[in-house]
């Protein structure tokens, strides 16, 4: 099968040498943060992965090809492209045939990572069941992708703008294990503790790697969520972020914002309502996840 993949030179060398590779999404660059913090954060995250001994592979679609690893120029292009497509599973074919610049969500990054033979993916927070989904049916495609695509996703839990109990219920129904690092509970993006239990606590990267090998070795396809809470000294108070999130959600509903536009709107509005503190927390949690993901990717090589 002739796949439309282009590997950056650094990633191609890592594949040849059998080194650990960590996939990174690109919607955090195009839709998750403002410029220039988006590009700066992307470069910092890549540098952390390298410092931990692994190789970063930021994934995006450009020129009708899936890019596995981006150059500095391509990162800049993505960070300054106001019309970059936000790509999930359904959107990948269109981005390829249209030749447009597209940034990959969690779901699309998992698909591309699996095509490229990469088993560990680092992101900020996964998507999930949106609040009010009992009437809107608004459920992120990330969850279904986790049920079908065999990639480990290191994240700071699910975004706190979501219905976290229903998100965990959906993952349980579809057999997606949720591991937690450093605590028993599932993380909630801006805050370390959602108050909800993860399935298993596994702190050691080597043990996490053995878990993945055992799961996939049994023929149990699908991903694993690895919840890595934001450091407490860089987190936001749970009560404050809940109050601000509720306000932002009400404003989004009043403006008729729906579908893919909801999450970027809420993140931007929460940033404004917190005077930028939420952006600082967002950057801190992604950096923290990069360290955990790089260590896991290396442990997988030895498992």
């Amino acid at each position: 099968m002739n796949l439309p993949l282009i590997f950056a030179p650094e990633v191609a060398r890592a594949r040849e040498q059998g080194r650990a590779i960590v996939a990174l999404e690109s919607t955090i660059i195009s839709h998750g943060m403002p410029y220039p913090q988006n590009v700066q954060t992307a470069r910092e995250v890549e540098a952390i992965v390298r410092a931990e001994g692994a190789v970063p592979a930021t994934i995006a679609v450009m020129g009708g090809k899936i890019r596995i690893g981006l150059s500095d120029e391509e990162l800049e292009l993505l960070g300054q492209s106001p019309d970059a497509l936000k790509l999930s599973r359904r959107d990948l074919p269109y981005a390829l045939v249209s030749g447009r610049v597209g940034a990959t969500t969690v779901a699309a990054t998992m698909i591309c990572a699996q095509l490229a033979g990469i088993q560990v993916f680092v992101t900020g927070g996964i998507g999930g069941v949106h609040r009010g989904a009992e009437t809107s049916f608004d459920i992120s495609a990330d969850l279904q992708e986790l049920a079908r695509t065999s990639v480990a996703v290191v994240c700071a839990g699910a975004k706190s703008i979501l219905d976290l109990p229903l998100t965990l219920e959906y993952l349980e129904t579809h057999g997606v294990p949720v591991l937690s690092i450093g605590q028993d509970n599932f993380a909630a993006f801006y805050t370390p503790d959602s108050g909800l239990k993860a399935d298993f606590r596994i702190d050691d990267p080597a043990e996490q790697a053995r878990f993945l090998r055992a799961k996939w070795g049994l023929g149990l396809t699908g991903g694993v969520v690895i919840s890595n809470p934001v450091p407490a000294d860089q987190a936001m108070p749970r009560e404050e972020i809940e109050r601000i999130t509720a306000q932002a959600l009400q404003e989004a509903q009043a403006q008729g914002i729906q579908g893919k536009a909801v999450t970027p709107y809420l993140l931007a509005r929460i940033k404004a309502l917190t005077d930028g503190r939420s952006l600082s927390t967002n950057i801190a949690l992604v950096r923290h996840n990069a360290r955990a993901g790089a260590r896991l990717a290396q442990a997988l090589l030895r498992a």
Side-chain angles (χ1 to χ4, degrees):
M1 186 176 177
N2 189 16
L3 296 172
L5 303 179
I6 293 181
F7 293 92
E10 180 185 20
V11 179
R13 287 192 299 271
R15 284 164 53 85
E16 292 169 0
Q17 296 166 2
R19 296 181 60 195
I21 302 173
V22 175
L24 302 169
E25 66 154 297
S26 48
T27 52
I28 197 169
I29 304 171
S30 64
H31 295 79
M33 297 181 187
Y35 182 84
Q37 290 99 328
N38 54 1
V39 174
Q40 179 183 345
T41 300
R43 288 180 174 144
E44 289 175 354
V45 168
E46 289 190 345
I48 289 168
V49 171
R50 293 187 185 101
E52 292 289 341
V55 173
T58 301
I59 295 175
V61 175
M62 295 180 178
K65 300 289 184 181
I66 298 170
R67 309 279 173 158
I68 309 295
L70 302 180
S71 67
D72 280 345
E73 294 76 16
E74 288 166 339
L75 278 175
E76 281 286 344
L77 172 63
L78 196 60
Q80 297 189 65
S81 294
D83 298 325
L85 299 173
K86 184 180 179 184
L87 306 180
S88 192
R89 166 176 279 266
R90 69 173 184 184
D91 312 301
L92 277 171
Y94 175 74
L96 291 173
V97 301
S98 69
R100 291 182 58 184
V101 172
T104 52
T105 60
V106 168
T109 305
M110 289 181 72
I111 293 167
C112 297
Q114 186 172 61
L115 289 173
I118 301 172
Q119 295 180 305
V120 177
F121 161 41
V122 164
T123 186
I126 60 169
V129 179
H130 283 257
R131 302 187 194 196
E134 62 273 13
T135 55
S136 69
F137 288 86
D138 191 352
I139 301 173
S140 171
D142 294 353
L143 298 186
Q144 189 60 45
E145 209 58 54
L146 279 159
R148 60 161 53 119
T149 302
S150 298
V151 173
V153 181
V154 181
C155 58
K159 295 181 178 70
S160 50
I161 59 178
L162 303 167
D163 187 319
L164 298 185
L166 287 184
T167 296
L168 288 174
E169 192 68 40
Y170 188 104
L171 291 170
E172 179 187 2
T173 298
H174 290 272
V176 179
V178 178
L179 313 185
S180 187
I181 300 174
Q183 62 184 35
D184 294 334
N185 283 0
F186 187 58
F189 199 64
Y190 295 119
T191 60
D193 188 352
S194 68
L196 304 166
K197 288 281 188 184
D199 297 324
F200 312 104
R201 174 177 173 174
I202 304 180
D203 296 345
D204 180 37
E207 192 174 347
Q208 295 163 12
R210 289 195 294 273
F211 181 98
L212 295 174
R213 291 290 183 227
K215 178 185 189 302
W216 294 330
L218 290 169
L220 300 175
T221 57
V224 174
V225 174
I226 300 179
S227 168
N228 186 40
V230 61
D233 62 348
Q234 296 169 306
M236 295 194 65
R238 185 171 163 187
E239 297 78 12
E240 179 188 10
I241 199 65
E242 181 61 31
R243 173 177 53 80
I244 289 172
T245 297
Q247 178 181 338
L249 281 164
Q250 288 178 348
E251 293 173 358
Q253 290 168 0
Q255 295 178 46
I257 296 169
Q258 297 178 333
K260 301 184 180 183
V262 171
T263 297
Y265 172 85
L266 292 176
L267 293 176
R269 189 68 184 121
I270 290 168
K271 172 179 174 286
L273 291 170
T274 60
D275 296 321
R277 288 180 295 125
S278 65
L279 178 59
S280 298
T281 298
N282 196 345
I283 292 170
L285 65 86
V286 175
R287 290 166 60 95
H288 189 52
N289 293 344
R291 295 185 184 92
R295 292 167 186 170
L296 172 59
Q298 292 179 92
L300 262 179
L301 292 179
R302 301 186 291 268

